[in-house]
């Protein structure tokens, strides 16, 4: 079976005349004159009015967008959305000095966001170290420092809604 390219014209028994506007390995996205956009299986029954070849995009726009998001999250300091635990929403962090000076209040959401930024930047640093030209011994040494940093940040795990987002330091063996 030959896959039709984008721009191919078809006639479908149920939907009428249409033009293929996107192609995946299993479906055609067809804009029909009278029925609008419909997704049909590539092996469904229809009449080919005009077949265009070599115009097939075997990757859908959704797949391209998903891949791009994954790459940006992996190689940049773009933060993913990490939810704060419900009990902390709208709260505030109060830092009380040991001397008779004014307290410092910070919205806990702001503080949490800064913790997430630190974590994301540590992850980027970790990836850059692993991809660098450093020798293996240097990479391992730097990786151990990063692991200890994560361990120091485990105090803040109480702020996270999901345990999947927790900081994890060195695990006991």
């Amino acid at each position: 079976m030959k896959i039709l390219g984008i721009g191919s014209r078809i006639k479908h028994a149920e939907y009428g005349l249409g033009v293929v506007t996107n192609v995946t390995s299993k479906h055609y996205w067809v804009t029909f004159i009278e029925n609008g956009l419909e997704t049909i299986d590539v092996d469904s029954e229809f009449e080919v009015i005009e077949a265009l070849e070599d115009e097939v995009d075997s990757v859908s726009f959704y797949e391209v967008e998903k891949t791009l998001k994954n790459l940006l999250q992996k190689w940049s300091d773009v933060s993913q959305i990490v939810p704060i635990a419900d009990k902390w929403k709208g709260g505030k962090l109060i830092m009380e000095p040991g001397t008779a000076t004014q307290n410092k209040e910070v919205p806990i959401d702001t503080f949490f966001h800064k913790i997430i930024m630190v974590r994301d930047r540590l992850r980027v640093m970790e990836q850059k170290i692993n991809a660098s030209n450093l020798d293996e011994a240097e990479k391992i040494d730097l990786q151990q420092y990063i692991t200890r940093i994560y361990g120091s940040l485990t105090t803040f795990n109480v702020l996270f809604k999901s345990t999947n987002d927790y900081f994890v330091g060195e695990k006991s063996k």
Side-chain angles (χ1 to χ4, degrees):
M1 175 176 80
K2 190 164 185 133
I3 301 285
L4 295 173
I6 294 172
S8 296
R9 296 185 310 139
I10 67 168
K11 183 176 182 181
H12 191 273
E14 183 179 348
Y15 302 118
L17 298 172
V19 176
V20 176
T21 55
N22 194 15
V23 180
T24 67
S25 59
K26 297 178 182 175
H27 298 99
Y28 292 123
W29 294 16
V30 183
T31 302
F32 291 98
I33 294 171
E34 294 183 15
N35 291 293
L37 184 64
E38 295 288 341
T39 304
I40 61 173
D41 293 338
V42 293
D43 59 355
S44 57
E45 293 289 321
F46 54 83
E47 176 187 344
V48 177
I49 297 171
E50 180 184 5
L52 295 180
E53 298 175 19
D54 300 322
E55 295 291 327
V56 175
D57 178 9
S58 60
V59 180
S60 71
F61 294 120
Y62 170 78
E63 291 165 325
V64 171
E65 181 181 35
K66 183 177 170 187
T67 302
L68 182 59
K69 281 182 183 177
N70 289 341
L71 284 170
L72 287 172
Q73 285 177 349
K74 184 174 182 178
W75 296 105
S76 74
D77 61 356
V78 173
S79 297
Q80 68 182 66
I81 296 173
V82 178
I84 191 169
D86 292 337
K87 69 180 179 180
W88 301 110
K89 288 181 181 174
K92 60 184 165 188
L93 177 67
I94 301 170
M95 293 177 267
E96 190 174 303
T99 60
T101 57
Q102 189 173 1
N103 291 351
K104 172 74 176 174
E105 291 186 10
V106 178
I108 206 151
D109 294 319
T110 301
F111 180 75
F112 181 69
H113 177 68
K114 294 197 182 284
I115 294 292
I116 296 302
M117 287 174 23
V118 167
R119 185 188 68 176
D120 290 346
R121 290 183 176 133
L122 272 172
R123 287 179 177 171
V124 170
M125 182 189 303
E126 193 172 19
Q127 290 162 353
K128 289 187 179 206
I129 289 168
N130 290 335
S132 74
N133 294 328
L134 295 170
D135 65 48
E136 286 305 307
E138 291 172 312
K139 286 181 182 181
I140 290 169
D141 188 44
L142 291 171
Q143 194 64 266
Q144 287 174 346
Y145 278 106
I146 289 173
T147 300
R148 284 185 230 132
I149 292 168
Y150 282 135
S152 299
L153 294 169
T154 58
T155 301
F156 302 113
N157 285 345
V158 297
L159 298 172
F160 292 94
K161 185 171 191 164
S162 171
T163 57
N164 294 332
D165 294 319
Y166 280 10
F167 289 105
V168 179
E170 193 168 22
K171 295 183 178 179
S172 56
K173 295 174 181 158

